[in-house]
Structures are given as structure tokens and as C-alpha cells.
Amino acid sequence: MNTEKKEERYKRVLKQIEDLTNKTKDPLARMSTIAAVLHHKFEYFSWTGFYRLVNDDLIVSCYQGSVACLVLPKNTGVCWEAINRKETIIVPDVHKFPNHIACDSRSKSEIVVPVKNSVGEITAVLDVDSKELNSFDEVDVENLEKIVALIYQ
Ligand code: SME
């Protein structure tokens, strides 16, 4: 998707997600809704969902796409890397990322965005996979960070 089209799509999707997340403050309801909207509005999102940090484990939560790993072993893979670095990570080619966890062998690129609660603690990550290389860029980072910031607002 070209940058202009992507920016335009995110603009509309952000508005839709703001309207929907305003209906309840429940974080799980908001995460489920965000996963559903994003997954169906972006053709290149092949798996879209959240892993929650529960007692030092990353446990799969609401998602759209094929069945994923239920638990991600500590300090392994992209999701843990985003938690440890406390920042969004783009992986242009998952086969070049050491210790990448392949829940679906068709995934080729990935973005992981930490989710912070109202006091700034990381409680989860948003993980999006694509079946194409190099799917994610700064437009995804900027917009997905804005979207996950709505979860605890
Ligand atoms: N690839 C992720 C694991 C989750 S799946 O992509 C759904 C990782 O390396 O942390």
C-alpha cells in the first residue's frame, strides 16, 4: 500500500476506533475491537492481535487471524524485544530476526507496539504480521501507537 493511501486509511480507521472505544472503558473490549477493525481494514495485516503480560509471561489475548502461539517464552522473539526495549519494533524480514517466534510460517514481516496503562506500565503488546516483506513503516508506527494509546484512556 502506498504511503498516501495508507495515511488516508489510518485517518478514517483512527476516527472509527475512537468512536468505538468511547463506548466502554473496559480494556479487553477495546483491544478486541481494535484487533477486529484493524484486521479488516488493512489487506496486508495477516494476523492482528494482542499478547498480555501476565506474571512475567506473554499470553495471547484477543486476536484475528489463524491460531497463534498461546505463550511466548520469556525474552525470546519480537514481542519480548519490544517489551524489553520499551518501544515499537518493525521487523522488515522475520527470517533475519534472531529468535523470531514463527506462529505461522507464512509471516514475512511484523510490527510490535507496546501498550501502556495510565501510569505508563507496559501491560501488553499489539502484534501485527504480514505475509509480505517490508510491510510496515513509520506511518504504521505513528498510527498504531496512537491507536493503542486509546486502550487505557
Ligand atoms: N512473532 C512473534 C510471536 C507472535 S506471532 O507473530 C502471532 C514474536 O516473535 O514475538
Side-chain angles (χ1 to χ4, degrees), residues 47 51 68 72 76-80 99-103 110 127 129:
W47 191 93
Y51 279 87
L72 303 177
T76 308
V78 188
C79 293
W80 273 108
N99 298 323
H100 167 257
I101 302 167
C103 299
E110 176 165 359
D127 179 348
D129 292 353

Side-chain angles (χ1 to χ4, degrees), residues 30-47:
R30 288 175 165 182
M31 287 195 258
S32 308
T33 302
I34 289 168
V37 173
L38 289 175
H39 194 74
H40 291 94
K41 294 287 169 157
F42 291 91
E43 298 84 351
Y44 60 102
F45 287 20
S46 60
W47 191 93

Side-chain angles (χ1 to χ4, degrees), residues 97-112:
F97 188 94
N99 298 323
H100 167 257
I101 302 167
C103 299
D104 181 341
S105 58
R106 293 166 296 182
S107 291
K108 291 207 175 111
S109 58
E110 176 165 359
I111 185 168
V112 178

